[in-house]
Amino acid sequence: MKSFPLHLLLLPALFLFCGCTVDVDYTGQKFPVDKGNYNVKYFKSRQELDLDKYAIIGRFVVTAPARTDHYAFQKILMEKAMEFGGDAVCRVEAFSIVSGAYTPNYEEFGAPRPGSTAPEISPSQRGIPEALTGEKVKVRRQRVKALLLKERTVLNRLLK
């Protein structure tokens, strides 16, 4: 009897879990994809970009977990550039954002609930009253903004 590789069942779940944490917003035009030898160029800054050769056809905003590295962003941007028919991607800026804050619940550690009655303790036993407060935990994420580019010669041919 042949055994079924279990890792094949876990692989789609892993992609689903990892895919939900990256948000890609695109604004711009979409062109047909050339299925031949398709190579997307990646520019790390606007200074590397030749605007005489390329035209801007769209903008990406990619948001991912805090420890996502530059190469993961580059891979995502290049895949999306192929999907939308771009010839090049230019990263404009990368920065960290705070996407939310929450207060952890410490009640499970024995902190009194608001409105609950505490046992009677004499003032000499109580000491100085101190309010219990939860700490604020910030959720950090990385955000990259990029331009999607198309070669001007190809763009002129497609728009005619």
Side-chain angles (χ1 to χ4, degrees):
M1 181 176 183
K2 231 180 190 181
S3 66
F4 185 75
L6 290 176
H7 67 279
L8 292 179
L9 291 175
L10 297 175
L11 199 58
L14 178 67
F15 285 128
L16 180 64
F17 177 72
C18 294
C20 293
T21 59
V22 176
D23 299 323
V24 180
D25 294 324
Y26 176 71
T27 304
Q29 298 172 314
K30 183 175 182 178
F31 291 96
V33 179
D34 181 17
K35 298 291 182 186
N37 188 10
Y38 200 69
N39 188 14
V40 176
K41 293 189 179 188
Y42 186 79
F43 299 104
K44 294 180 182 175
S45 69
R46 289 184 187 188
Q47 288 76 22
E48 298 176 7
L49 189 58
D50 181 12
L51 285 176
D52 294 332
K53 183 176 179 182
Y54 293 102
I56 299 170
I57 62 168
R59 292 170 177 21
F60 286 111
V61 177
V62 182
T63 307
R67 293 196 174 134
T68 306
D69 67 349
H70 167 73
Y71 297 107
F73 278 110
Q74 180 177 346
K75 181 180 177 187
I76 292 166
L77 287 169
M78 292 179 77
E79 286 173 357
K80 290 296 180 179
M82 281 188 205
E83 181 182 327
F84 290 105
D87 294 325
V89 175
C90 178
R91 187 184 73 198
V92 177
E93 66 180 316
F95 52 94
S96 178
I97 61 168
V98 176
S99 65
Y102 65 94
T103 305
N105 184 1
Y106 291 109
E107 288 182 359
E108 64 267 16
F109 298 111
R113 295 177 184 214
S116 67
T117 57
E120 281 298 317
I121 300 175
S122 69
S124 61
Q125 291 175 324
R126 270 190 256 168
I128 301 171
E130 199 172 312
L132 294 175
T133 59
E135 62 179 303
K136 294 286 185 185
V137 179
K138 295 179 182 176
V139 179
R140 293 202 173 274
R141 294 177 57 86
Q142 297 285 47
R143 181 168 284 168
V144 170
K145 293 183 179 181
L147 300 173
L148 181 62
L149 308 159
K150 188 87 175 157
E151 287 187 22
R152 287 189 185 274
T153 55
V154 176
L155 186 62
N156 292 335
R157 184 171 26 95
L158 288 172
L159 294 178
K160 285 185 181 182

